Amino acid sequence: MLDFLAVIIATATANNVILNQAIGADAALSQSQSAKHALSLGLLTGVAIVVSGLAVFFVDQYVLTDTGFVGLRLFVIVLITAAITLPLDAYWPSHASTNTVARGPLVLANTTVLGTVLLSMRDPASVTDTVALLVGHALGFLAVLLIVASIRQRVTRARVPTALRGGPLLLIVIGLLALAASGLDGMTSSS
């Protein structure tokens, strides 16, 4: 149980998907206008990451590997991710009243889900390891979205030089967060 929690914490902080692999950075920059919206998108993406990752894990382990169709892995991962993300986004409470044709968060969440599922499938050891990685990715993504949204709200009220308003300041903030997360790398000793 302690290893499970250690993997979740390490994945959410030191191995954060936005800060270390730049997966989902587009969502952090463009979809975090308010903390409420960032929370909704983060929860939607987190649920999609865990559900898609588990579905892909079981299909990969018990269908593709057993039948010898390992070459179709990427195609199957994309199909499963899209098949799970689309209904989740369509019926998510904060998105239910919006137009289903123009779905910006769906595209952003889908790329993040696909990237994190691919990362978790690099070396799938067991179901518990995969769940720990997926939950850690989801929590790390949610944390960065909320941090960027809160900083964006504070910056709108603060006096910031014109050249740094908007995207440039957010990129600096994400860079500083990435430096902080990389400082956590190697904190644990492997024995």
Side-chain angles (χ1 to χ4, degrees):
M1 181 66 177
L2 192 59
D3 289 339
F4 183 77
L5 291 175
V7 169
I8 289 175
I9 291 170
T11 305
T13 56
N15 298 325
N16 191 293
V17 290
I18 292 179
L19 302 178
N20 287 347
Q21 285 94 11
I23 296 173
D26 51 351
L29 289 174
S30 65
Q31 295 295 322
S32 60
Q33 284 83 17
S34 68
K36 182 181 176 184
H37 190 262
L39 179 66
S40 175
L41 181 64
L43 290 175
L44 166 70
T45 307
V47 169
I49 285 170
V50 173
V51 172
S52 297
L54 284 175
V56 165
F57 177 80
F58 287 120
V59 167
D60 183 51
Q61 292 293 316
Y62 300 113
V63 176
L64 295 178
T65 305
D66 289 349
T67 58
F69 290 121
V70 181
L72 295 174
R73 180 177 286 158
L74 183 61
F75 181 70
V76 169
I77 289 173
V78 170
L79 282 178
I80 290 173
T81 301
I84 289 173
T85 306
L86 184 63
L88 269 176
D89 189 55
Y91 295 110
W92 197 256
S94 64
H95 296 288
S97 62
T98 59
N99 186 5
T100 57
V101 176
R103 290 251 185 226
L106 169 68
V107 174
L108 296 171
N110 201 5
T111 58
T112 305
V113 171
L114 182 61
T116 54
V117 169
L118 285 171
L119 281 174
S120 69
M121 292 305 296
R122 282 191 293 188
D123 187 25
S126 67
V127 178
T128 56
D129 290 343
T130 303
V131 168
L133 282 174
L134 293 169
V135 169
H137 286 310
L139 290 175
F141 181 77
L142 176 63
V144 171
L145 275 182
L146 289 174
I147 289 170
V148 169
S150 66
I151 289 174
R152 181 178 284 201
Q153 287 177 348
R154 294 184 105 201
V155 165
T156 58
R157 294 186 301 255
R159 290 179 40 176
V160 178
T162 308
L164 291 178
R165 287 189 188 148
L169 188 60
L170 288 176
L171 288 174
I172 291 170
V173 167
I174 288 178
L176 291 173
L177 286 172
L179 282 172
S182 68
L184 297 174
D185 203 12
M187 292 287 285
T188 60
S189 62
S190 57
S191 28

